[in-house]
Amino acid sequence: MIKIDLSNVWLDINPMELVKKEAEVFAAHELLAEKKGPGNDFLGWLDLPTFEERDEMRRIRRAAERIRSNSEVFVVVGIGGSYLGPRAAIELVKGQNHNLSKRDPQIFFAGNNLSTRAWSELCEHLEGKDFSINIISKSGTTTEPAIATRALIYMLKRKYGEHAKDRIYVTTDPEKGALRQIATEEGYESFIIPPSVGGRYSVLTAVGLLPMAVAGINPLDVMLGAATAKEALNVRSLENPAWQYAAARNLLYGSNKYIELLCSYEPNFRYFAGWWQQLFGESEGKDGKGIFPATAEFTADLHSLGQMIQQGERNLFETVIRFAPPPSRVMIDPNERNLDGLNYLAGKSLAFVEEKAFLGTLNAHVDGGVPAIILETGDINAQTLGELFYFFELSCGISAYMLGVNPFNQPGVEFYKRNMFQLLGKPGF
Ligand code: PA5
């Protein structure tokens, strides 16, 4: 289970202040659990993790088997909460290069931008390949996925005629929205985003689980991890790692640390960090408040952001995710000529070097005025993934209530849309 190490924040916050936060964290957790806070119509995610297999999960697994057997490529269409979760899961567990695997269908994401180049590249890639699509949109009306959907359905119909519908999977609201209507009228197999689950809290519904299953990640293991986390995090005291994380980041924010940099030493964590960024950014950033969620991949970004972190404006703290070391070891060999001067590392493993890089960086950043919360977790697998998703969702709900904002709306996102629709001449704008 996830552990939080706060030993690197005490230069900036006092342990007594953390203890004093207990009542505030308790109140925020109770608001969530008793469903009495703002946005309480959107708390369905609290109860998604379960140890039993529900009907929807059985259908997800059956659909995934079908897709895996008849498709070389699976295109997942969606944006924001309907996109980042599945991508985060697939890249973390199957790796950034998952599309090179011969065992699993290739998975591409569409409808998350308006780039003509990205679209043309996808079309070129789909040429001559058997493919299926999963359209994910809670509202069913978001412009970017709607444009990609129209075009992909056209391509499928041209290629497969009346059988195209067997390759179209829809994930949306059970009753409302254009996509629900399309699915019903056209007879596409469809999955549900419960009305009480907002986009960025939806990864443990079919939104995340169907693409994960197609990628070869067992969704039952993901649920097992999430359900285990749900039980473990149901503790009402500062022993609870979600409380420790929420309390520490809240205190750091109060001491002028306005930016949280989520860092990991795993390149495959990049999209998980993107999911986290949306979760916290859209949940907390409102009413003129909020910690700006930023992300970094170490050690690569130590060679780009490292200078800024070490000596720039002292307004940030780090949250560093540490995974248990992988079972396989990679060793550094001795070299007779030692022209690269690396023989001092001969016989050491890559994991050993990584550990020292982590410790050296941590000490440098803390000494330089950047406190760090360390989050330790297990090896990278489906279960750890489920735990992490639930841990961050719960921590985010608690954190936002501590900040005094509604974690479950995103009124600010409408501003760009309104301007865009006016410029596009959409009726009604
Ligand atoms: O968290 C959210 O609610 C948003 O990021 C949405 O997921 C995003 O705007 C996409 O919306 P929809 O799923 O309705 O297409």
Side-chain angles (χ1 to χ4, degrees), residues 78-84 136-143 145-146 171-172 179 193 197-202 207 278-279 282 408-410 413-414 416-417:
I79 196 165
S82 296
Y83 156 60
L84 289 159
I136 309 176
S137 176
K138 171 122 191 253
S139 62
T141 54
T142 309
T143 312
T171 306
T172 190
L179 192 53
I193 311 176
V197 179
R200 58 190 173 277
Y201 294 83
S202 67
V207 168
Q278 188 213 356
L279 179 70
E282 277 192 355
F408 307 112
N409 64 4
Q410 54 286 327
V413 181
E414 296 310 312
Y416 101 90
K417 290 188 193 167

PDB file of all heavy atoms in Angstrom, residues 78-84 136-143 145-146 171-172 179 193 197-202 207 278-279 282 408-410 413-414 416-417, ligand 1:
ATOM      1  N   GLY A  78     -11.492  10.575 -27.378  1.00  0.00           N
ATOM      2  CA  GLY A  78     -11.981  11.279 -26.190  1.00  0.00           C
ATOM      3  C   GLY A  78     -10.993  12.369 -25.809  1.00  0.00           C
ATOM      4  O   GLY A  78      -9.859  12.413 -26.316  1.00  0.00           O
ATOM      5  N   ILE A  79     -11.400  13.233 -24.895  1.00  0.00           N
ATOM      6  CA  ILE A  79     -10.533  14.342 -24.458  1.00  0.00           C
ATOM      7  C   ILE A  79     -10.718  14.554 -22.956  1.00  0.00           C
ATOM      8  O   ILE A  79     -11.760  14.175 -22.400  1.00  0.00           O
ATOM      9  CB  ILE A  79     -10.863  15.630 -25.262  1.00  0.00           C
ATOM     10  CG1 ILE A  79      -9.756  16.692 -25.135  1.00  0.00           C
ATOM     11  CG2 ILE A  79     -12.206  16.220 -24.877  1.00  0.00           C
ATOM     12  CD1 ILE A  79      -9.843  17.817 -26.168  1.00  0.00           C
ATOM     13  N   GLY A  80      -9.725  15.129 -22.303  1.00  0.00           N
ATOM     14  CA  GLY A  80      -9.822  15.427 -20.861  1.00  0.00           C
ATOM     15  C   GLY A  80      -9.987  14.145 -20.072  1.00  0.00           C
ATOM     16  O   GLY A  80      -9.254  13.161 -20.260  1.00  0.00           O
ATOM     17  N   GLY A  81     -10.992  14.123 -19.211  1.00  0.00           N
ATOM     18  CA  GLY A  81     -11.234  12.944 -18.381  1.00  0.00           C
ATOM     19  C   GLY A  81     -11.629  11.725 -19.186  1.00  0.00           C
ATOM     20  O   GLY A  81     -11.576  10.597 -18.692  1.00  0.00           O
ATOM     21  N   SER A  82     -12.025  11.917 -20.439  1.00  0.00           N
ATOM     22  CA  SER A  82     -12.398  10.785 -21.290  1.00  0.00           C
ATOM     23  C   SER A  82     -11.200  10.305 -22.108  1.00  0.00           C
ATOM     24  O   SER A  82     -11.375   9.551 -23.071  1.00  0.00           O
ATOM     25  CB  SER A  82     -13.543  11.196 -22.218  1.00  0.00           C
ATOM     26  OG  SER A  82     -14.683  11.499 -21.460  1.00  0.00           O
ATOM     27  N   TYR A  83     -10.018  10.765 -21.753  1.00  0.00           N
ATOM     28  CA  TYR A  83      -8.817  10.415 -22.525  1.00  0.00           C
ATOM     29  C   TYR A  83      -7.608  10.095 -21.632  1.00  0.00           C
ATOM     30  O   TYR A  83      -6.942   9.064 -21.808  1.00  0.00           O
ATOM     31  CB  TYR A  83      -8.495  11.602 -23.445  1.00  0.00           C
ATOM     32  CG  TYR A  83      -7.069  11.742 -23.921  1.00  0.00           C
ATOM     33  CD1 TYR A  83      -6.454  10.740 -24.669  1.00  0.00           C
ATOM     34  CD2 TYR A  83      -6.332  12.894 -23.639  1.00  0.00           C
ATOM     35  CE1 TYR A  83      -5.145  10.891 -25.124  1.00  0.00           C
ATOM     36  CE2 TYR A  83      -5.033  13.050 -24.094  1.00  0.00           C
ATOM     37  CZ  TYR A  83      -4.447  12.052 -24.839  1.00  0.00           C
ATOM     38  OH  TYR A  83      -3.163  12.194 -25.284  1.00  0.00           O
ATOM     39  N   LEU A  84      -7.363  10.983 -20.655  1.00  0.00           N
ATOM     40  CA  LEU A  84      -6.087  10.872 -19.940  1.00  0.00           C
ATOM     41  C   LEU A  84      -5.984   9.612 -19.098  1.00  0.00           C
ATOM     42  O   LEU A  84      -4.894   9.026 -18.982  1.00  0.00           O
ATOM     43  CB  LEU A  84      -5.869  12.123 -19.091  1.00  0.00           C
ATOM     44  CG  LEU A  84      -5.555  13.361 -19.951  1.00  0.00           C
ATOM     45  CD1 LEU A  84      -5.837  14.641 -19.187  1.00  0.00           C
ATOM     46  CD2 LEU A  84      -4.100  13.322 -20.409  1.00  0.00           C
ATOM     47  N   ILE A 136     -15.502   7.868 -26.441  1.00  0.00           N
ATOM     48  CA  ILE A 136     -15.761   8.133 -25.024  1.00  0.00           C
ATOM     49  C   ILE A 136     -16.104   9.608 -24.853  1.00  0.00           C
ATOM     50  O   ILE A 136     -15.286  10.480 -25.158  1.00  0.00           O
ATOM     51  CB  ILE A 136     -14.522   7.800 -24.163  1.00  0.00           C
ATOM     52  CG1 ILE A 136     -14.009   6.388 -24.471  1.00  0.00           C
ATOM     53  CG2 ILE A 136     -14.844   7.956 -22.684  1.00  0.00           C
ATOM     54  CD1 ILE A 136     -12.733   6.022 -23.731  1.00  0.00           C
ATOM     55  N   SER A 137     -17.302   9.888 -24.400  1.00  0.00           N
ATOM     56  CA  SER A 137     -17.667  11.266 -24.066  1.00  0.00           C
ATOM     57  C   SER A 137     -18.875  11.237 -23.155  1.00  0.00           C
ATOM     58  O   SER A 137     -19.900  10.676 -23.510  1.00  0.00           O
ATOM     59  CB  SER A 137     -17.975  12.067 -25.341  1.00  0.00           C
ATOM     60  OG  SER A 137     -18.411  13.363 -24.998  1.00  0.00           O
ATOM     61  N   LYS A 138     -18.714  11.818 -21.981  1.00  0.00           N
ATOM     62  CA  LYS A 138     -19.829  11.809 -21.030  1.00  0.00           C
ATOM     63  C   LYS A 138     -20.974  12.666 -21.556  1.00  0.00           C
ATOM     64  O   LYS A 138     -22.120  12.241 -21.584  1.00  0.00           O
ATOM     65  CB  LYS A 138     -19.331  12.345 -19.685  1.00  0.00           C
ATOM     66  CG  LYS A 138     -20.434  12.596 -18.696  1.00  0.00           C
ATOM     67  CD  LYS A 138     -20.254  11.828 -17.437  1.00  0.00           C
ATOM     68  CE  LYS A 138     -21.483  11.878 -16.570  1.00  0.00           C
ATOM     69  NZ  LYS A 138     -21.354  12.709 -15.399  1.00  0.00           N
ATOM     70  N   SER A 139     -20.642  13.885 -22.003  1.00  0.00           N
ATOM     71  CA  SER A 139     -21.692  14.784 -22.495  1.00  0.00           C
ATOM     72  C   SER A 139     -22.155  14.351 -23.880  1.00  0.00           C
ATOM     73  O   SER A 139     -23.294  14.590 -24.263  1.00  0.00           O
ATOM     74  CB  SER A 139     -21.146  16.207 -22.578  1.00  0.00           C
ATOM     75  OG  SER A 139     -20.080  16.239 -23.508  1.00  0.00           O
ATOM     76  N   GLY A 140     -21.253  13.744 -24.617  1.00  0.00           N
ATOM     77  CA  GLY A 140     -21.585  13.344 -25.989  1.00  0.00           C
ATOM     78  C   GLY A 140     -21.614  14.506 -26.949  1.00  0.00           C
ATOM     79  O   GLY A 140     -22.024  14.353 -28.099  1.00  0.00           O
ATOM     80  N   THR A 141     -21.146  15.673 -26.497  1.00  0.00           N
ATOM     81  CA  THR A 141     -21.235  16.841 -27.382  1.00  0.00           C
ATOM     82  C   THR A 141     -19.895  17.568 -27.537  1.00  0.00           C
ATOM     83  O   THR A 141     -19.844  18.618 -28.156  1.00  0.00           O
ATOM     84  CB  THR A 141     -22.246  17.866 -26.821  1.00  0.00           C
ATOM     85  OG1 THR A 141     -21.865  18.157 -25.470  1.00  0.00           O
ATOM     86  CG2 THR A 141     -23.667  17.346 -26.840  1.00  0.00           C
ATOM     87  N   THR A 142     -18.822  17.044 -26.960  1.00  0.00           N
ATOM     88  CA  THR A 142     -17.544  17.771 -26.992  1.00  0.00           C
ATOM     89  C   THR A 142     -17.009  17.811 -28.434  1.00  0.00           C
ATOM     90  O   THR A 142     -16.976  16.788 -29.119  1.00  0.00           O
ATOM     91  CB  THR A 142     -16.545  17.099 -26.031  1.00  0.00           C
ATOM     92  OG1 THR A 142     -17.187  16.945 -24.771  1.00  0.00           O
ATOM     93  CG2 THR A 142     -15.289  17.913 -25.840  1.00  0.00           C
ATOM     94  N   THR A 143     -16.584  19.000 -28.859  1.00  0.00           N
ATOM     95  CA  THR A 143     -16.270  19.224 -30.281  1.00  0.00           C
ATOM     96  C   THR A 143     -15.151  18.323 -30.810  1.00  0.00           C
ATOM     97  O   THR A 143     -15.298  17.693 -31.870  1.00  0.00           O
ATOM     98  CB  THR A 143     -15.857  20.700 -30.486  1.00  0.00           C
ATOM     99  OG1 THR A 143     -16.822  21.509 -29.838  1.00  0.00           O
ATOM    100  CG2 THR A 143     -15.780  21.065 -31.952  1.00  0.00           C
ATOM    101  N   PRO A 145     -13.717  15.332 -29.856  1.00  0.00           N
ATOM    102  CA  PRO A 145     -14.059  13.933 -30.140  1.00  0.00           C
ATOM    103  C   PRO A 145     -15.200  13.779 -31.146  1.00  0.00           C
ATOM    104  O   PRO A 145     -15.215  12.819 -31.918  1.00  0.00           O
ATOM    105  CB  PRO A 145     -14.457  13.352 -28.780  1.00  0.00           C
ATOM    106  CG  PRO A 145     -14.596  14.492 -27.849  1.00  0.00           C
ATOM    107  CD  PRO A 145     -13.829  15.640 -28.411  1.00  0.00           C
ATOM    108  N   ALA A 146     -16.146  14.762 -31.161  1.00  0.00           N
ATOM    109  CA  ALA A 146     -17.272  14.634 -32.098  1.00  0.00           C
ATOM    110  C   ALA A 146     -16.765  14.679 -33.547  1.00  0.00           C
ATOM    111  O   ALA A 146     -17.228  13.909 -34.403  1.00  0.00           O
ATOM    112  CB  ALA A 146     -18.301  15.730 -31.849  1.00  0.00           C
ATOM    113  N   THR A 171     -18.863   4.794 -25.070  1.00  0.00           N
ATOM    114  CA  THR A 171     -18.888   4.918 -23.602  1.00  0.00           C
ATOM    115  C   THR A 171     -19.422   6.310 -23.283  1.00  0.00           C
ATOM    116  O   THR A 171     -18.783   7.314 -23.618  1.00  0.00           O
ATOM    117  CB  THR A 171     -17.462   4.724 -23.035  1.00  0.00           C
ATOM    118  OG1 THR A 171     -16.945   3.483 -23.520  1.00  0.00           O
ATOM    119  CG2 THR A 171     -17.474   4.703 -21.511  1.00  0.00           C
ATOM    120  N   THR A 172     -20.594   6.360 -22.678  1.00  0.00           N
ATOM    121  CA  THR A 172     -21.236   7.665 -22.466  1.00  0.00           C
ATOM    122  C   THR A 172     -22.274   7.580 -21.346  1.00  0.00           C
ATOM    123  O   THR A 172     -22.421   6.542 -20.695  1.00  0.00           O
ATOM    124  CB  THR A 172     -21.856   8.177 -23.791  1.00  0.00           C
ATOM    125  OG1 THR A 172     -22.269   9.532 -23.638  1.00  0.00           O
ATOM    126  CG2 THR A 172     -23.051   7.350 -24.252  1.00  0.00           C
ATOM    127  N   LEU A 179     -24.343  11.388 -28.107  1.00  0.00           N
ATOM    128  CA  LEU A 179     -23.663  10.103 -28.323  1.00  0.00           C
ATOM    129  C   LEU A 179     -24.541   8.932 -27.877  1.00  0.00           C
ATOM    130  O   LEU A 179     -24.568   7.874 -28.514  1.00  0.00           O
ATOM    131  CB  LEU A 179     -22.329  10.123 -27.562  1.00  0.00           C
ATOM    132  CG  LEU A 179     -21.333   9.013 -27.865  1.00  0.00           C
ATOM    133  CD1 LEU A 179     -21.041   8.877 -29.353  1.00  0.00           C
ATOM    134  CD2 LEU A 179     -20.029   9.261 -27.100  1.00  0.00           C
ATOM    135  N   ILE A 193     -21.046   5.716 -18.421  1.00  0.00           N
ATOM    136  CA  ILE A 193     -20.379   6.592 -17.443  1.00  0.00           C
ATOM    137  C   ILE A 193     -21.507   7.039 -16.516  1.00  0.00           C
ATOM    138  O   ILE A 193     -22.400   7.779 -16.941  1.00  0.00           O
ATOM    139  CB  ILE A 193     -19.728   7.830 -18.090  1.00  0.00           C
ATOM    140  CG1 ILE A 193     -18.862   7.439 -19.289  1.00  0.00           C
ATOM    141  CG2 ILE A 193     -18.911   8.596 -17.045  1.00  0.00           C
ATOM    142  CD1 ILE A 193     -18.260   8.620 -20.058  1.00  0.00           C
ATOM    143  N   VAL A 197     -20.608  10.355 -11.884  1.00  0.00           N
ATOM    144  CA  VAL A 197     -19.143  10.298 -11.982  1.00  0.00           C
ATOM    145  C   VAL A 197     -18.686  11.312 -13.032  1.00  0.00           C
ATOM    146  O   VAL A 197     -19.002  11.181 -14.216  1.00  0.00           O
ATOM    147  CB  VAL A 197     -18.671   8.870 -12.370  1.00  0.00           C
ATOM    148  CG1 VAL A 197     -17.150   8.822 -12.507  1.00  0.00           C
ATOM    149  CG2 VAL A 197     -19.138   7.846 -11.340  1.00  0.00           C
ATOM    150  N   GLY A 198     -17.939  12.318 -12.596  1.00  0.00           N
ATOM    151  CA  GLY A 198     -17.445  13.344 -13.526  1.00  0.00           C
ATOM    152  C   GLY A 198     -16.279  12.807 -14.344  1.00  0.00           C
ATOM    153  O   GLY A 198     -15.637  11.821 -13.973  1.00  0.00           O
ATOM    154  N   GLY A 199     -15.989  13.474 -15.466  1.00  0.00           N
ATOM    155  CA  GLY A 199     -14.961  13.005 -16.399  1.00  0.00           C
ATOM    156  C   GLY A 199     -13.632  12.629 -15.748  1.00  0.00           C
ATOM    157  O   GLY A 199     -13.119  11.522 -15.919  1.00  0.00           O
ATOM    158  N   ARG A 200     -13.078  13.536 -14.960  1.00  0.00           N
ATOM    159  CA  ARG A 200     -11.723  13.275 -14.431  1.00  0.00           C
ATOM    160  C   ARG A 200     -11.707  12.264 -13.295  1.00  0.00           C
ATOM    161  O   ARG A 200     -10.636  11.886 -12.822  1.00  0.00           O
ATOM    162  CB  ARG A 200     -11.049  14.587 -14.032  1.00  0.00           C
ATOM    163  CG  ARG A 200     -11.794  15.402 -13.008  1.00  0.00           C
ATOM    164  CD  ARG A 200     -11.185  16.792 -12.853  1.00  0.00           C
ATOM    165  NE  ARG A 200     -11.976  17.643 -11.994  1.00  0.00           N
ATOM    166  CZ  ARG A 200     -13.038  18.341 -12.383  1.00  0.00           C
ATOM    167  NH1 ARG A 200     -13.450  18.273 -13.633  1.00  0.00           N
ATOM    168  NH2 ARG A 200     -13.694  19.112 -11.542  1.00  0.00           N
ATOM    169  N   TYR A 201     -12.891  11.839 -12.843  1.00  0.00           N
ATOM    170  CA  TYR A 201     -12.971  10.789 -11.813  1.00  0.00           C
ATOM    171  C   TYR A 201     -13.486   9.479 -12.423  1.00  0.00           C
ATOM    172  O   TYR A 201     -13.937   8.599 -11.700  1.00  0.00           O
ATOM    173  CB  TYR A 201     -13.901  11.224 -10.679  1.00  0.00           C
ATOM    174  CG  TYR A 201     -13.378  12.412  -9.888  1.00  0.00           C
ATOM    175  CD1 TYR A 201     -13.572  13.711 -10.332  1.00  0.00           C
ATOM    176  CD2 TYR A 201     -12.654  12.229  -8.709  1.00  0.00           C
ATOM    177  CE1 TYR A 201     -13.081  14.807  -9.629  1.00  0.00           C
ATOM    178  CE2 TYR A 201     -12.163  13.309  -7.994  1.00  0.00           C
ATOM    179  CZ  TYR A 201     -12.373  14.592  -8.468  1.00  0.00           C
ATOM    180  OH  TYR A 201     -11.882  15.668  -7.758  1.00  0.00           O
ATOM    181  N   SER A 202     -13.428   9.360 -13.775  1.00  0.00           N
ATOM    182  CA  SER A 202     -14.138   8.253 -14.427  1.00  0.00           C
ATOM    183  C   SER A 202     -13.241   7.092 -14.848  1.00  0.00           C
ATOM    184  O   SER A 202     -13.719   6.153 -15.483  1.00  0.00           O
ATOM    185  CB  SER A 202     -14.888   8.775 -15.658  1.00  0.00           C
ATOM    186  OG  SER A 202     -13.961   9.196 -16.643  1.00  0.00           O
ATOM    187  N   VAL A 207     -14.695   3.901 -19.106  1.00  0.00           N
ATOM    188  CA  VAL A 207     -13.812   4.912 -19.723  1.00  0.00           C
ATOM    189  C   VAL A 207     -12.368   4.419 -19.734  1.00  0.00           C
ATOM    190  O   VAL A 207     -11.684   4.446 -20.766  1.00  0.00           O
ATOM    191  CB  VAL A 207     -13.908   6.258 -18.961  1.00  0.00           C
ATOM    192  CG1 VAL A 207     -12.811   7.225 -19.390  1.00  0.00           C
ATOM    193  CG2 VAL A 207     -15.278   6.875 -19.150  1.00  0.00           C
ATOM    194  N   GLN A 278      -4.615  16.905 -14.621  1.00  0.00           N
ATOM    195  CA  GLN A 278      -5.991  17.302 -14.904  1.00  0.00           C
ATOM    196  C   GLN A 278      -6.851  17.183 -13.643  1.00  0.00           C
ATOM    197  O   GLN A 278      -7.650  18.063 -13.321  1.00  0.00           O
ATOM    198  CB  GLN A 278      -6.603  16.443 -16.013  1.00  0.00           C
ATOM    199  CG  GLN A 278      -7.966  17.011 -16.427  1.00  0.00           C
ATOM    200  CD  GLN A 278      -8.988  15.979 -16.850  1.00  0.00           C
ATOM    201  OE1 GLN A 278      -8.700  14.792 -16.918  1.00  0.00           O
ATOM    202  NE2 GLN A 278     -10.192  16.434 -17.125  1.00  0.00           N
ATOM    203  N   LEU A 279      -6.661  16.052 -12.926  1.00  0.00           N
ATOM    204  CA  LEU A 279      -7.469  15.801 -11.731  1.00  0.00           C
ATOM    205  C   LEU A 279      -7.357  16.972 -10.751  1.00  0.00           C
ATOM    206  O   LEU A 279      -8.353  17.549 -10.319  1.00  0.00           O
ATOM    207  CB  LEU A 279      -7.012  14.496 -11.065  1.00  0.00           C
ATOM    208  CG  LEU A 279      -7.749  14.104  -9.795  1.00  0.00           C
ATOM    209  CD1 LEU A 279      -9.182  13.684 -10.113  1.00  0.00           C
ATOM    210  CD2 LEU A 279      -7.028  12.961  -9.071  1.00  0.00           C
ATOM    211  N   GLU A 282      -8.203  20.776 -12.546  1.00  0.00           N
ATOM    212  CA  GLU A 282      -9.619  21.114 -12.752  1.00  0.00           C
ATOM    213  C   GLU A 282     -10.406  21.071 -11.444  1.00  0.00           C
ATOM    214  O   GLU A 282     -11.438  21.703 -11.321  1.00  0.00           O
ATOM    215  CB  GLU A 282     -10.265  20.154 -13.768  1.00  0.00           C
ATOM    216  CG  GLU A 282     -10.011  20.575 -15.204  1.00  0.00           C
ATOM    217  CD  GLU A 282     -10.864  19.836 -16.233  1.00  0.00           C
ATOM    218  OE1 GLU A 282     -11.618  18.912 -15.870  1.00  0.00           O
ATOM    219  OE2 GLU A 282     -10.753  20.182 -17.410  1.00  0.00           O
ATOM    220  N   PHE A 408     -15.779  19.260  -8.056  1.00  0.00           N
ATOM    221  CA  PHE A 408     -16.415  18.468  -9.108  1.00  0.00           C
ATOM    222  C   PHE A 408     -17.018  19.286 -10.243  1.00  0.00           C
ATOM    223  O   PHE A 408     -17.723  18.743 -11.073  1.00  0.00           O
ATOM    224  CB  PHE A 408     -17.465  17.536  -8.466  1.00  0.00           C
ATOM    225  CG  PHE A 408     -16.865  16.735  -7.353  1.00  0.00           C
ATOM    226  CD1 PHE A 408     -17.236  16.934  -6.038  1.00  0.00           C
ATOM    227  CD2 PHE A 408     -15.852  15.813  -7.622  1.00  0.00           C
ATOM    228  CE1 PHE A 408     -16.626  16.222  -5.005  1.00  0.00           C
ATOM    229  CE2 PHE A 408     -15.238  15.108  -6.604  1.00  0.00           C
ATOM    230  CZ  PHE A 408     -15.627  15.305  -5.292  1.00  0.00           C
ATOM    231  N   ASN A 409     -16.740  20.590 -10.278  1.00  0.00           N
ATOM    232  CA  ASN A 409     -17.188  21.347 -11.457  1.00  0.00           C
ATOM    233  C   ASN A 409     -15.952  21.908 -12.177  1.00  0.00           C
ATOM    234  O   ASN A 409     -14.830  21.786 -11.690  1.00  0.00           O
ATOM    235  CB  ASN A 409     -18.170  22.456 -11.059  1.00  0.00           C
ATOM    236  CG  ASN A 409     -17.516  23.496 -10.158  1.00  0.00           C
ATOM    237  OD1 ASN A 409     -16.324  23.436  -9.895  1.00  0.00           O
ATOM    238  ND2 ASN A 409     -18.299  24.439  -9.678  1.00  0.00           N
ATOM    239  N   GLN A 410     -16.172  22.485 -13.340  1.00  0.00           N
ATOM    240  CA  GLN A 410     -15.067  23.076 -14.099  1.00  0.00           C
ATOM    241  C   GLN A 410     -15.619  24.222 -14.949  1.00  0.00           C
ATOM    242  O   GLN A 410     -15.504  24.218 -16.174  1.00  0.00           O
ATOM    243  CB  GLN A 410     -14.306  22.038 -14.953  1.00  0.00           C
ATOM    244  CG  GLN A 410     -15.131  21.172 -15.923  1.00  0.00           C
ATOM    245  CD  GLN A 410     -15.931  20.104 -15.242  1.00  0.00           C
ATOM    246  OE1 GLN A 410     -15.527  19.564 -14.223  1.00  0.00           O
ATOM    247  NE2 GLN A 410     -17.090  19.813 -15.785  1.00  0.00           N
ATOM    248  N   VAL A 413     -13.695  25.982 -17.910  1.00  0.00           N
ATOM    249  CA  VAL A 413     -13.405  25.340 -19.206  1.00  0.00           C
ATOM    250  C   VAL A 413     -14.349  25.871 -20.291  1.00  0.00           C
ATOM    251  O   VAL A 413     -14.035  25.841 -21.475  1.00  0.00           O
ATOM    252  CB  VAL A 413     -13.519  23.798 -19.076  1.00  0.00           C
ATOM    253  CG1 VAL A 413     -13.199  23.103 -20.377  1.00  0.00           C
ATOM    254  CG2 VAL A 413     -12.603  23.274 -17.972  1.00  0.00           C
ATOM    255  N   GLU A 414     -15.510  26.388 -19.859  1.00  0.00           N
ATOM    256  CA  GLU A 414     -16.511  26.843 -20.845  1.00  0.00           C
ATOM    257  C   GLU A 414     -16.078  28.109 -21.581  1.00  0.00           C
ATOM    258  O   GLU A 414     -16.548  28.371 -22.684  1.00  0.00           O
ATOM    259  CB  GLU A 414     -17.858  27.107 -20.156  1.00  0.00           C
ATOM    260  CG  GLU A 414     -18.489  25.867 -19.550  1.00  0.00           C
ATOM    261  CD  GLU A 414     -18.541  24.687 -20.523  1.00  0.00           C
ATOM    262  OE1 GLU A 414     -18.982  24.880 -21.678  1.00  0.00           O
ATOM    263  OE2 GLU A 414     -18.102  23.582 -20.128  1.00  0.00           O
ATOM    264  N   TYR A 416     -13.266  29.159 -23.132  1.00  0.00           N
ATOM    265  CA  TYR A 416     -12.647  29.012 -24.460  1.00  0.00           C
ATOM    266  C   TYR A 416     -13.657  28.475 -25.454  1.00  0.00           C
ATOM    267  O   TYR A 416     -13.696  28.861 -26.622  1.00  0.00           O
ATOM    268  CB  TYR A 416     -11.379  28.143 -24.393  1.00  0.00           C
ATOM    269  CG  TYR A 416     -11.544  26.700 -24.848  1.00  0.00           C
ATOM    270  CD1 TYR A 416     -11.344  26.349 -26.184  1.00  0.00           C
ATOM    271  CD2 TYR A 416     -11.908  25.690 -23.966  1.00  0.00           C
ATOM    272  CE1 TYR A 416     -11.504  25.030 -26.611  1.00  0.00           C
ATOM    273  CE2 TYR A 416     -12.064  24.389 -24.377  1.00  0.00           C
ATOM    274  CZ  TYR A 416     -11.866  24.054 -25.699  1.00  0.00           C
ATOM    275  OH  TYR A 416     -12.029  22.764 -26.119  1.00  0.00           O
ATOM    276  N   LYS A 417     -14.527  27.578 -24.951  1.00  0.00           N
ATOM    277  CA  LYS A 417     -15.504  26.967 -25.855  1.00  0.00           C
ATOM    278  C   LYS A 417     -16.464  28.030 -26.388  1.00  0.00           C
ATOM    279  O   LYS A 417     -16.769  28.054 -27.564  1.00  0.00           O
ATOM    280  CB  LYS A 417     -16.320  25.902 -25.108  1.00  0.00           C
ATOM    281  CG  LYS A 417     -15.541  24.666 -24.747  1.00  0.00           C
ATOM    282  CD  LYS A 417     -16.502  23.621 -24.204  1.00  0.00           C
ATOM    283  CE  LYS A 417     -15.796  22.488 -23.532  1.00  0.00           C
ATOM    284  NZ  LYS A 417     -16.684  21.641 -22.750  1.00  0.00           N
TER     285      LYS A 417
HETATM  286  O1  PA5 B   1     -13.191  16.245 -16.110  1.00  0.00           O
HETATM  287  C1  PA5 B   1     -14.015  16.609 -16.939  1.00  0.00           C
HETATM  288  O2  PA5 B   1     -15.232  16.586 -16.697  1.00  0.00           O
HETATM  289  C2  PA5 B   1     -13.599  17.095 -18.309  1.00  0.00           C
HETATM  290  O3  PA5 B   1     -12.221  17.069 -18.461  1.00  0.00           O
HETATM  291  C3  PA5 B   1     -14.212  16.212 -19.377  1.00  0.00           C
HETATM  292  O4  PA5 B   1     -13.825  14.896 -19.169  1.00  0.00           O
HETATM  293  C4  PA5 B   1     -13.805  16.655 -20.785  1.00  0.00           C
HETATM  294  O5  PA5 B   1     -14.155  17.990 -20.974  1.00  0.00           O
HETATM  295  C5  PA5 B   1     -14.485  15.793 -21.832  1.00  0.00           C
HETATM  296  O6  PA5 B   1     -15.873  15.830 -21.686  1.00  0.00           O
HETATM  297  P1  PA5 B   1     -16.809  14.720 -22.295  1.00  0.00           P
HETATM  298  O7  PA5 B   1     -16.468  13.425 -21.697  1.00  0.00           O
HETATM  299  O8  PA5 B   1     -18.178  15.188 -21.950  1.00  0.00           O
HETATM  300  O9  PA5 B   1     -16.570  14.728 -23.785  1.00  0.00           O
END
